[in-house]
Amino acid sequence: MAELQLSPIIAGAWRLAEWQFSVEQRLAWIEGCMARGLSSFDHADIYGGYQAEALFGEALALRPALREQMQLVSKCGIKLVGPARPAHGFKSYDTSAAHITTSVENSLRALRTDRLDLLLIHRPDALMDADEVAQTFERLRRDGKVLHFGVSNFTPAQFELLHSRIPLVTNQVECSPLHLAPCTMARWTKPSACACGP
């Protein structure tokens, strides 16, 4: 399998729903990012109350040829309570095969694509069955729905637990110039990613 190539800086879609852009403005933002060399876009199923991926996908549908020039990253594993997921009784983490698979299917449909370039487990799940996650990842790869896998905000030991069962390409950690501790403890593999925040 080809090595994953991400742009040096990854454009985050976390706040896409808050910007209240029209679909044309969203497309202009995507094209503006790509014109500046930001070809990788970071999503998560929960962003924007489960709406951000669909907003991005709606814009991408205006110029579907852009899909072949970009890399789509998404995350799953957090279950939020809200109107978009009325069956969720309380916020929790879920890394079961059923939840990961359903989340990927939802992301593909929302983003209007046939594959994710990279899928991350969004947060460590104390009840994670590493073998079940690895088997689910292998099945998603075999089906062509996800090309590469990683994690987000895992400790080195948590990373190794899953990495020993299936190769992970990154541990995306939250850090900023004012909060560097996560960067010093994360295991960085090539390529690496850092979600910067305040």
Side-chain angles (χ1 to χ4, degrees), residues 108-175:
L108 294 176
R109 187 165 43 253
L111 291 165
R112 305 194 193 193
T113 186
D114 63 344
R115 70 197 183 282
L116 296 174
D117 296 282
L118 175 60
L119 175 69
L120 310 177
I121 298 297
H122 205 155
R123 288 288 189 277
D125 172 10
L127 301 178
M128 182 181 76
D129 181 332
D131 292 318
E132 181 180 3
V133 173
Q135 291 165 11
T136 305
F137 282 0
E138 288 287 7
R139 184 168 59 254
L140 290 167
R141 177 182 287 148
R142 185 174 62 247
D143 292 345
K145 295 179 179 180
V146 182
L147 304 184
H148 302 274
F149 300 93
V151 294
S152 176
N153 296 295
F154 275 45
T155 66
Q158 291 165 338
F159 181 98
E160 288 298 338
L161 175 66
L162 189 53
H163 186 61
S164 68
R165 289 157 173 82
I166 187 168
L168 303 176
V169 299
T170 194
N171 183 12
Q172 181 193 64
V173 296
E174 184 177 355
C175 68

Side-chain angles (χ1 to χ4, degrees), residues 1-6 71 73 117-118 147-148 169 190-191:
M1 172 169 293
E3 182 179 349
L4 177 63
Q5 298 291 330
L6 299 175
Q71 303 80 46
V73 180
D117 296 282
L118 175 60
L147 304 184
H148 302 274
V169 299
K190 187 178 179 182

